[in-house]
Amino acid sequence: MENKEMSMTLDKIIKQHQEDKAIVAILQDVQDEYRYLPKEALFYLADQLRVSIAKIYSVATFYENFSLEPKGKYVIKICDGTACHVRKSIPILNALRKKLSLSDSKKTTDDGLFTVETVSCLGACGLAPVMTINETVYPAMTPEAATSLVDELS
């Protein structure tokens, strides 16, 4: 690996998991560090853990929480479960995409500040429509309230 700083970080993460060598836990820590799973990190982990790159990729792509693409500093998740959908979560999504110049295929802003995603359920149906920014839950959202939150973070 050419990136010495990354290899040192990955070695530290691996060492924290030396007892169990749990790939999922290691990948979670890597994603916490980089906000996604860099390709070079996956190859390095495969080599250091003595497992195939196919095994690493199969775990990384099986779990929805892992991302192989860089994410923004602020990850906005808009719930589109039944309760949120019925209470108009899609206009919230559309307002955020318009404000941030994003689309269904382009989820992260060019400056790396925001990522906007939809999720099937955030488990807060009584508060619908709901969105999260990183781990903070925002209940009873409207398009105006959502774009106002983005303005505050910009």
Side-chain angles (χ1 to χ4, degrees):
M1 172 177 278
E2 289 187 28
N3 185 336
K4 191 81 166 159
E5 188 176 314
M6 181 182 275
S7 62
M8 288 173 51
T9 300
L10 295 173
D11 287 342
K12 181 179 165 191
I13 290 170
I14 292 167
K15 188 174 183 184
Q16 292 170 347
H17 296 279
Q18 65 187 2
E19 295 298 318
D20 57 10
K21 299 269 195 265
I23 294 172
V24 171
I26 291 169
L27 291 177
Q28 285 172 323
D29 288 352
V30 171
Q31 184 158 291
D32 286 346
E33 180 72 27
Y34 298 103
R35 295 197 311 255
Y36 79 111
L37 299 174
K39 181 179 178 180
E40 59 271 21
L42 299 180
F43 278 92
Y44 186 80
L45 291 173
D47 183 61
Q48 295 300 305
L49 297 173
R50 294 185 173 89
V51 297
S52 70
I53 188 63
K55 180 163 179 81
I56 297 289
Y57 266 96
S58 70
V59 174
T61 57
F62 179 79
Y63 294 100
E64 192 174 304
N65 279 347
F66 290 132
S67 175
L68 300 176
E69 299 294 321
K71 291 198 176 193
K73 178 179 179 182
Y74 300 107
V75 177
I76 302 171
K77 294 182 181 179
I78 293 133
C79 182
D80 195 35
T82 303
C84 289
H85 186 83
V86 167
R87 292 189 179 156
K88 310 263 189 259
S89 62
I90 295 302
I92 298 165
L93 172 66
N94 291 338
L96 289 173
R97 283 181 175 166
K98 182 177 179 182
K99 176 161 191 63
L100 298 169
S101 301
L102 298 175
S103 66
D104 190 38
S105 59
K106 181 182 180 195
K107 297 181 185 316
T108 301
T109 57
D110 292 336
D111 62 6
L113 199 54
F114 295 100
T115 296
V116 176
E117 304 174 328
T118 58
V119 293
S120 298
C121 185
L122 287 170
C125 301
L127 305 174
V130 175
M131 73 178 214
T132 61
I133 300 178
N134 295 343
E135 302 304 316
T136 304
V137 177
Y138 294 90
M141 291 305 298
T142 64
E144 297 77 22
T147 56
S148 179
L149 281 170
V150 166
D151 286 338
E152 289 175 26
L153 296 171
S154 295

